[in-house]
């Protein structure tokens, strides 16, 4: 018996919060980003978030973001959903980015809780509704109090779900009781925003995950999401345990954008692992811990690998 919603999902089921690739001088490498987008879709993801946290959105200029949206739509549009990370803590700026994303032809937008300025729940509600009213794009709300400084209260989320353009939630609150209330009282498509919580969130009624770790284990995450959606909990549990060291490697030692790029480079999928300040590359000690977790997952990088090109096997 399938565990998840049967309606068409506007944001897919396996979404990757995609890294933004840079040249050695720090400028955006649009060609390599498009190539990686194609490879991730080939490997099993059906949705990409562009210019989210892992895409280093806070250090991208507005025009760079709009150009990225357009480049990825041109690369994978029709094969996967393209979701633009448009949210900021400035409502009118978020509206402008939503309009830019719509012009670029994306399928939807990810809008994060306004961060740092810590608005009241009334302000949170007004912010999301203003962004929703600005375009026809469907919205996935991103609730991540660890980064934004405040949670979206469940009562607020239930009210937001009444807006026909607000159709999904990326939940990174890690509160099973609260997400249960959201699932029970709304028709939102709920995605785990914590890679390691994909299985329990889907068993409760979530539809998938917006993942960072899936950059480096796309096929396994595809199999996990599909098994959970089909109600095959035995298979899903096995894959969940297999992915645990991968999730630890990507998400627990250094920022996800840094670790994902380092591993993708070792896998031969990207030309370099350049990040923009204030992010920096890992120390040797940090990489040792990452590599130890990957080795536990059976992913060893003892020999150099040649960079893969789109459509070629590893």
């Amino acid at each position: 018996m399938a565990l998840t919603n049967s309606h068409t999902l506007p944001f897919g089921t396996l979404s990757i919060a995609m890294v933004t690739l840079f040249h050695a001088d720090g400028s955006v490498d649009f060609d390599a980003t498009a190539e990686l987008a194609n490879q991730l879709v080939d490997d099993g993801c059906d949705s990409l978030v562009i210019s989210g946290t892992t895409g280093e959105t806070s250090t991208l200029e507005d025009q760079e973001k709009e150009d990225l949206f357009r480049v990825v739509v041109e690369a994978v549009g029709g094969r996967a959903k393209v979701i633009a990370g448009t949210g900021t803590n400035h409502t009118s700026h978020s509206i402008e980015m939503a309009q830019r994303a719509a012009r670029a032809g994306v399928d939807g937008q990810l809008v994060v809780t306004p961060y740092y300025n810590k608005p009241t729940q009334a302000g949170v509600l007004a912010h999301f509704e203003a962004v929703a009213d600005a375009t026809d794009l469907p919205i996935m709300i991103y609730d991540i109090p660890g980064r934004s400084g405040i949670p979206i209260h469940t009562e607020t989320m239930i009210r937001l779900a009444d807006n026909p353009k607000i159709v999904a939630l990326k939940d990174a609150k890690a509160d099973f009781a609260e997400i249960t209330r959201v699932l029970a009282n709304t028709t939102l498509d709920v995605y785990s925003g914590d890679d390691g919580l994909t299985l329990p969130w889907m068993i409760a009624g979530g539809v998938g995950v917006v993942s960072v770790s899936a950059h480096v284990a796309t096929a396994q995450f595809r199999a996990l999401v599909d098994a959970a959606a089909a109600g095959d909990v035995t298979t899903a549990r096995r894959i969940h345990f297999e992915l645990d060291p991968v999730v630890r490697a990507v998400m627990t030692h250094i920022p996800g954008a840094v670790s994902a790029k380092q591993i993708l480079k070792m896998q031969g999928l990207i030309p370099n692992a350049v990040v923009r300040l204030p992010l920096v590359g890992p120390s040797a000690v940090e990489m040792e811990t990452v590599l130890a977790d990957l080795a536990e997952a059976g992913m060893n990088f003892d020999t150099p690998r040649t960079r893969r090109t789109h459509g070629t096997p590893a």
Side-chain angles (χ1 to χ4, degrees):
M1 176 181 176
L3 296 179
T4 55
N5 297 334
S6 59
H7 69 276
T8 300
L9 299 170
F11 294 105
T13 55
L14 174 58
S15 184
I16 295 180
M18 188 175 157
V19 295
T20 300
L21 300 184
F22 302 116
H23 293 289
D25 65 0
S27 60
V28 176
D29 188 339
F30 292 102
D31 290 340
T33 299
E35 187 174 321
L36 177 62
N38 268 305
Q39 190 65 61
L40 293 172
V41 174
D42 285 349
D43 289 345
C45 83
D46 55 3
S47 172
L48 292 168
V49 172
I50 309 303
S51 184
T53 306
T54 307
E56 299 177 66
T57 185
S58 58
T59 55
L60 292 172
E61 304 298 335
D62 290 355
Q63 190 59 50
E64 290 177 321
K65 294 178 185 180
E66 183 176 346
D67 291 344
L68 278 166
F69 301 153
R70 187 169 288 107
V71 163
V72 177
V73 168
E74 291 173 355
V76 301
R79 297 204 302 137
K81 302 295 184 181
V82 179
I83 307 170
T86 60
T88 73
N89 65 338
H90 182 181
T91 303
S92 63
H93 188 199
S94 301
I95 288 171
E96 179 189 349
M97 292 313 302
Q99 292 167 341
R100 285 174 175 257
R103 288 199 300 268
V106 303
D107 298 291
Q109 54 181 324
L110 179 73
V111 184
V112 70
T113 316
Y115 43 84
Y116 185 73
N117 42 21
K118 301 180 82 170
T120 64
Q121 291 297 299
V124 170
L125 183 72
H127 171 84
F128 282 115
E129 291 187 332
V131 178
D133 288 344
T135 74
D136 291 330
L137 293 174
I139 286 178
M140 178 189 290
I141 289 177
Y142 187 11
D143 186 11
I144 182 166
R147 288 187 183 272
S148 65
I150 58 169
I152 303 173
H153 293 172
T154 300
E155 293 77 12
T156 304
M157 194 70 69
I158 291 171
R159 290 183 64 186
L160 286 168
D162 289 335
N163 189 308
K165 294 178 189 172
I166 296 174
V167 299
L169 166 64
K170 177 184 177 184
D171 177 74
K173 196 182 292 180
D175 188 325
F176 193 74
E178 289 302 306
I179 203 60
T180 297
R181 290 183 61 204
V182 172
L183 287 163
N185 290 280
T186 76
T187 59
L188 293 173
D189 296 328
V190 173
Y191 295 77
S192 174
D194 291 294
D195 292 350
L197 297 179
T198 304
L199 177 58
W201 261 231
M202 289 192 69
I203 287 176
V207 300
V209 61
V210 180
S211 173
V212 179
S213 305
H215 276 98
V216 304
T218 314
Q220 282 178 282
F221 270 96
R222 176 78 270 159
L224 169 62
V225 168
D226 288 348
D232 183 357
V233 178
T234 299
T235 299
R237 185 188 299 117
R238 173 181 57 76
I239 302 170
H240 168 76
F241 291 144
E242 292 172 353
L243 283 169
D244 176 62
V246 177
V247 173
R248 281 188 273 119
V250 177
M251 301 304 298
T252 65
H253 305 298
I254 52 181
V258 177
S259 56
K261 286 184 177 181
Q262 290 289 328
I263 301 168
L264 286 167
K265 184 175 183 295
M266 291 188 294
Q267 290 177 319
L269 287 171
I270 62 174
N272 63 55
V274 173
V275 291
R276 284 182 174 176
L277 285 171
L279 297 182
V280 296
S283 69
V285 172
E286 288 169 335
M287 276 308 297
E288 285 179 7
T289 60
V290 170
L291 290 169
D293 285 339
L294 293 174
E296 184 181 335
M299 299 170 67
N300 295 289
F301 299 96
D302 297 328
T303 57
R305 298 192 175 200
T306 302
R307 185 185 172 202
R308 293 167 63 184
T309 57
H310 169 57
T312 63

